Amino acid sequence: VVAQTVVPNELIEKVDATTGKRSGGKRAAKNVVNRLMSWGFLLGVCLGGLQMLLLPMLQKSSPLEEVRQAAVIPSILASIYQIMNGLVFIGEGVMVGCGNFFQLSLSTVIATIAALVSLNTLPKMFGLTGVWLSFGVFNSFRLAGVWLHQAKNGPLSEKALAQA
């Protein structure tokens, strides 16, 4: 939600009526995006680290040893995915804020197809861990969509900023 509102507000170039000083614009919005992505990464690392620290509590979640054992690797994967989630959620908010709904939709459709394909294959090979690996596939494709938007073809990519 922050990226959806802050980025469009920063895109608007403003001129102070008394000093004539300009602020905002595409370069300023790109700086905001970079800051938000850094915060998303940092918060993802912190949340994932906290989940890893709490992993021993998992052993108290069920009286059945098989259940506790089956949950270890998915819990580790979920912790690692928090880093990706921090970047993806900010990046997709930037896409919304820039009005790039088509690219966001296309990225989500491709990620969903990849997740469905992986859900059809990975659980057969890895069981419950395969389901969580499929979730990782989904978020990896979403992260790739965010990267493409920010680095290659979005309005705040270096190529677009150089043309402005």
Side-chain angles (χ1 to χ4, degrees), residues 21-61:
K21 183 179 176 185
R22 294 180 179 271
S23 65
K26 285 188 173 187
R27 181 57 64 184
K30 179 65 174 177
N31 292 338
V32 167
V33 168
N34 290 342
R35 253 190 329 273
L36 288 172
M37 291 297 285
S38 297
W39 275 108
F41 178 76
L42 181 66
L43 292 173
V45 167
C46 290
L47 186 56
L50 179 63
Q51 283 182 228
M52 290 293 282
L53 287 173
L54 294 174
L55 200 57
M57 301 293 283
L58 185 66
Q59 298 306 313
K60 296 175 173 45
S61 66

Side-chain angles (χ1 to χ4, degrees), residues 106-120:
L106 187 61
S107 170
T108 304
V109 166
I110 292 169
T112 301
I113 291 168
L116 291 173
V117 169
S118 62
L119 277 169
N120 197 32

Side-chain angles (χ1 to χ4, degrees), residues 5-22:
T5 56
V6 172
V7 173
N9 287 337
E10 197 63 37
L11 275 168
I12 300 167
E13 193 168 317
K14 304 163 218 56
V15 179
D16 187 309
T18 56
T19 64
K21 183 179 176 185
R22 294 180 179 271

Side-chain angles (χ1 to χ4, degrees), residues 3-4 7-8 11 29 33 92-101 149 154-156:
Q4 294 173 13
V7 173
L11 275 168
V33 168
E92 288 182 347
V94 170
M95 287 178 165
V96 170
C98 290
N100 298 119
F101 303 107
H149 180 261
L156 300 176

